[in-house]
Amino acid sequence: MPNIVLFSGSSHQDLSQKVADRLGLELGKVITKKFSNQETCVEIGESVRGEDVYIVQSGCGEINDNLMELLIMINACKIASSSRVTAVIPCFPYARQDKKDKDSDPTHLQAV
């Protein structure tokens, strides 16, 4: 599969490796670390210029950290001139918050 680079976020590296094995690809080199103030730092360890990049990052575990890491990885790939970046998110965080609960829906409140 030419022009495809597959990266794994830190949320579920086993899943990413299984996807890579199934596709016959090697996972791309990426280094993630935290600064002393707990900000996430991502370094893409190979050229992605003109490549289609896929990033596997689940929304389970430390949801906010994983989501921020994914966004930083996407930004790093776009800055490095990748052709396209696709996020593969098996468990999508915050997806249920767009639904109204009957108790909090203003149309269901009764006037006194």
Side-chain angles (χ1 to χ4, degrees):
M1 294 182 165
N3 298 337
I4 292 179
V5 179
L6 179 65
F7 290 111
S8 174
S10 62
S11 68
H12 207 304
Q13 293 175 341
D14 291 342
L15 175 62
S16 302
Q17 187 61 57
K18 288 179 181 179
V19 170
D21 292 344
R22 180 74 169 189
L23 295 174
L25 297 172
E26 294 289 325
L27 283 175
K29 295 175 183 68
V30 62
I31 299 168
T32 58
K33 56 187 174 184
K34 296 271 188 180
F35 290 120
S36 60
N37 65 354
Q38 296 305 306
E39 285 184 12
T40 300
C41 175
V42 175
E43 296 175 16
I44 303 298
E46 58 190 74
S47 175
V48 294
R49 181 178 297 278
E51 305 283 349
D52 287 339
V53 174
Y54 291 82
I55 302 170
V56 180
Q57 178 78 312
S58 175
C60 58
E62 296 293 327
I63 295 170
N64 293 329
D65 287 344
N66 292 340
L67 186 58
M68 196 65 211
E69 180 182 297
L70 174 63
L71 296 173
I72 293 169
M73 290 177 77
I74 292 169
N75 185 54
C77 291
K78 292 307 286 181
I79 288 172
S81 301
S82 63
S83 175
R84 179 177 21 211
V85 179
T86 303
V88 180
I89 311 171
C91 177
F92 192 68
Y94 295 104
R96 301 184 83 186
Q97 290 195 22
D98 65 341
K99 295 177 178 41
K100 290 255 184 194
D101 184 17
K102 285 184 180 180
D103 295 327
S104 63
D105 187 351
T107 61
H108 292 289
L109 296 178
Q110 296 179 355
V112 179

